[in-house]
Amino acid sequence: MNRPGQVLEPRSSLGARGVFCSFVTRLALHSRLIPGTEEAYEIEHARVWPELIASMHAAGISDWSIWRSGRDLFHLVDADDFEASVEYLRTDPTDQRWQQHMSQFVEGFAQNPEGVAGQSLRHVWTMSEQID
């Protein structure tokens, strides 16, 4: 089901019975750093805990990228089902430790009641989706 702020992209994988095609949700999030923590935040992300990446994969998140402009962080997330991923990570001990650790740098995620899981930014345009 395609919801506002959700871009579905086909993902294929070769299984034992042939080609399996599913859809991945790609969405954007926005968070903000606490003033003066910009450099420390980037140092923390030079190498994220491998066990956190394993937890994210187990939650159905296949990729997560972050860009920074001043104190603003823009996240691009690819997940099988972002809402289910958030629910999974809410009780994951590794993610709980990471969130507690990162709370010294991040004010929090911007909320968007219209977005997936109440957080995703509104999708406006994607070049590859434009039909002439």
Side-chain angles (χ1 to χ4, degrees):
M1 172 163 128
N2 193 1
R3 288 164 269 184
Q6 182 178 36
V7 177
L8 298 178
E9 295 191 351
R11 178 194 304 174
S12 296
S13 61
L14 188 59
R17 300 179 145 215
V19 175
F20 172 76
C21 185
S22 65
F23 287 92
V24 62
T25 301
R26 172 172 282 167
L27 52 89
L29 307 171
H30 173 231
S31 61
R32 192 146 227 237
L33 293 172
I34 295 169
T37 65
E38 298 87 348
E39 186 176 330
Y41 179 86
E42 289 196 19
I43 290 169
E44 291 296 321
H45 281 81
R47 178 143 172 86
V48 171
W49 306 340
E51 61 270 27
L52 177 65
I53 294 171
S55 290
M56 293 172 81
H57 280 294
I61 297 170
S62 57
D63 202 10
W64 191 306
S65 300
I66 304 171
W67 288 266
R68 183 173 74 79
S69 177
R71 291 179 39 221
D72 292 300
L73 301 173
F74 300 95
H75 309 251
L76 183 62
V77 182
D78 292 340
D80 296 330
D81 178 340
F82 184 70
E83 289 171 326
S85 298
V86 168
E87 206 48 48
Y88 177 94
L89 291 171
R90 190 179 322 271
T91 60
D92 179 78
T94 301
D95 188 64
Q96 290 175 346
R97 279 191 353 262
W98 178 259
Q99 296 306 324
Q100 178 63 36
H101 175 65
M102 295 310 294
S103 68
Q104 65 186 310
F105 308 108
V106 182
E107 289 179 354
F109 280 94
Q111 299 300 302
N112 178 10
E114 297 176 358
V116 177
Q119 292 180 316
S120 67
L121 298 174
R122 181 177 171 83
H123 177 251
V124 177
W125 179 75
T126 299
M127 183 176 74
S128 62
E129 294 175 355
Q130 183 168 324
I131 300 172
D132 290 327

